[in-house]
């Protein structure tokens, strides 16, 4: 499979587009120079980003790519499957790009005349015809678009999760055991609940249908009673959300790092 991807219409500031060959396979990547002491690699929705110190030569960079070739191609395979699964594409962070929100795919629209982001549709019942209108010019670089999407999605997550958390806390009767909650973005967890009654919910859940969000919130609220995953715990989850099993099985297909937004 070729990883010689299309060059974005506008590269992030300070980056260069590079094409090379690794293990006899074409590979495209974005090169960014920095003051770091070693060469670093990461995979974003746009592909491979290589950050190198100013002293690193082309030979040093190629050697790093060759050394990490297995990891690179493995992660790029995962990225491709993820983007296909989420109905995403390499053009997501631009005018007309698509983004999953509450279980449906909405379209991005850029409009410099707007003073703030505007959702064109029903926020609580989104449809595939809905648009997220961002106050950016049509030629805005992908990083600015991504940052603005981050901000908007986190605002929605904070609002929606608070409402659902309040519902399940009232249903559970454990309000006195609950202390506080916050949004988080861990790479390996959808949520957590501490023995002090502090609940964390991964804001990337906002990409999923409400039934999946409800399952994660009910799961963490159940931990206020059972700090384990014993049969008693799952009985409590079922009491709070009788239909939890289907959502649980759907969520098993994903991990937090597999979703469209990374940083």
């Amino acid at each position: 499979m070729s990883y010689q991807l299309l060059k974005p219409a506008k590269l992030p500031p300070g980056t260069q587009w590079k094409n090379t060959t690794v293990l006899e396979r074409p590979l495209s990547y974005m090169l960014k120079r920095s003051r770091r002491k070693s060469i670093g690699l990461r995979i974003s929705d746009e592909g491979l980003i290589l950050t190198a110190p100013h002293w690193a030569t082309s030979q040093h960079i190629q050697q790093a790519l060759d050394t990490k070739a297995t990891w690179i191609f493995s992660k790029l395979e995962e990225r491709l499957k993820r983007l296909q699964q989420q109905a995403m594409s390499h053009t997501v962070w631009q005018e007309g790009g698509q983004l999953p929100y509450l279980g449906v795919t909405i379209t991005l629209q850029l409009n410099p005349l707007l003073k703030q982001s505007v959702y064109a549709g029903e926020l609580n019942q989104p449809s595939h015809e809905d648009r997220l209108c961002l106050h950016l010019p049509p030629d805005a670089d992908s990083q600015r678009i991504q940052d603005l999407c981050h901000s908007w999605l986190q605002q929605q997550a904070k609002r929606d999760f608070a409402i659902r958390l309040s519902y399940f806390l009232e249903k559970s009767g454990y309000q006195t055991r609950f202390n506080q909650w916050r949004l988080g973005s861990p790479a390996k967890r959808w949520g957590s609940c501490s023995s002090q009654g502090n609940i964390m919910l991964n804001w990337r859940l906002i990409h999923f249908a409400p039934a999946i969000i409800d399952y994660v919130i009910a799961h963490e609220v159940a931990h206020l009673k059972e700090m384990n995953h014993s049969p008693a715990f799952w009985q409590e989850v079922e009491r709070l959300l009788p239909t939890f099993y289907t959502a649980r099985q759907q969520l098993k297909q994903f991990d937090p790092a597999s979703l469209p937004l990374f940083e």
Side-chain angles (χ1 to χ4, degrees):
M1 181 179 295
S2 171
Y3 290 100
Q4 197 161 7
L5 306 179
L6 293 176
K7 180 180 179 181
K10 193 169 184 180
L11 291 170
T15 62
Q16 297 177 291
W17 187 253
K18 297 289 185 179
N19 294 309
T20 188
T21 301
V22 176
L23 295 182
E24 300 183 348
R25 302 168 74 178
L27 176 69
S28 299
Y29 66 96
M30 285 174 279
L31 172 63
K32 184 176 183 180
R33 297 286 185 172
S34 76
R35 296 180 179 178
R36 61 177 295 150
K37 296 180 180 180
S38 61
I39 294 174
L41 303 169
R42 72 181 180 91
I43 306 296
S44 76
D45 280 344
E46 296 171 307
L48 173 62
I49 300 175
L50 186 149
T51 305
H54 294 290
W55 55 260
T57 66
S58 298
Q59 185 176 359
H60 290 133
I61 291 171
Q62 186 65 44
Q63 184 177 9
L65 292 171
D66 291 339
T67 300
K68 300 291 288 184
T70 301
W71 179 87
I72 291 170
F73 289 123
S74 173
K75 292 301 181 182
L76 287 174
E77 289 276 7
E78 291 177 9
R79 165 190 171 273
L80 180 61
K81 292 177 182 178
R82 179 181 69 250
L83 297 185
Q84 292 172 339
Q85 198 168 36
Q86 293 288 343
M88 304 284 283
S89 72
H90 66 276
T91 60
V92 62
W93 306 119
Q94 66 178 33
E95 170 76 23
Q98 295 185 317
L99 187 71
Y101 168 64
L102 289 182
V104 303
T105 301
I106 62 174
T107 301
L108 300 180
Q109 181 176 332
L110 309 184
N111 187 343
L113 301 179
L114 297 174
K115 293 184 178 180
Q116 61 183 11
S117 299
V118 175
Y119 188 81
E122 177 55 55
L123 270 175
N124 296 325
Q125 293 182 321
S127 72
H128 295 291
E129 291 76 31
D130 291 356
R131 291 169 288 118
L132 174 58
C133 306
L134 306 175
H135 52 293
L136 290 173
D139 62 346
D141 70 67
S142 61
Q143 190 61 55
R144 289 185 66 193
I145 298 172
Q146 184 175 3
D147 290 344
L148 212 53
C149 286
H150 271 225
S151 177
W152 184 84
L153 288 167
Q154 288 174 14
Q155 289 176 12
Q156 305 316 308
K158 188 173 184 179
R159 182 203 66 173
D160 291 359
F161 297 178
I163 294 172
R164 300 309 293 163
L165 179 59
S166 178
Y167 167 80
F168 283 109
L169 282 171
E170 182 176 355
K171 187 173 183 178
S172 71
Y174 307 141
Q175 291 95 326
T176 57
R177 304 183 189 183
F178 171 70
N179 183 30
Q180 61 183 355
W181 82 281
R182 65 178 178 86
L183 290 178
S185 57
K188 297 298 181 182
R189 287 187 174 185
W190 293 117
S192 64
C193 179
S194 73
S195 57
Q196 290 76 38
N198 299 320
I199 289 177
M200 181 281 296
L201 298 171
N202 194 317
W203 68 266
R204 291 177 173 84
L205 286 164
I206 197 67
H207 293 299
F208 291 114
I212 292 179
I213 298 173
D214 276 357
Y215 160 64
V216 175
I217 295 176
H219 183 115
E220 302 310 332
V221 169
H223 277 312
L224 293 172
K225 180 182 180 183
E226 301 286 344
M227 290 297 296
N228 51 57
H229 289 101
S230 64
F233 166 78
W234 291 111
Q235 288 173 7
E236 183 59 24
V237 174
E238 186 173 17
R239 183 180 75 85
L240 296 175
L241 187 67
T243 59
F244 84 91
Y245 184 77
T246 299
R248 180 191 178 198
Q249 293 304 108
Q250 292 173 338
L251 192 59
K252 281 185 175 182
Q253 302 175 50
F254 305 91
D255 64 78
S258 75
L259 290 180
L261 308 182
F262 279 82
E263 297 300 331

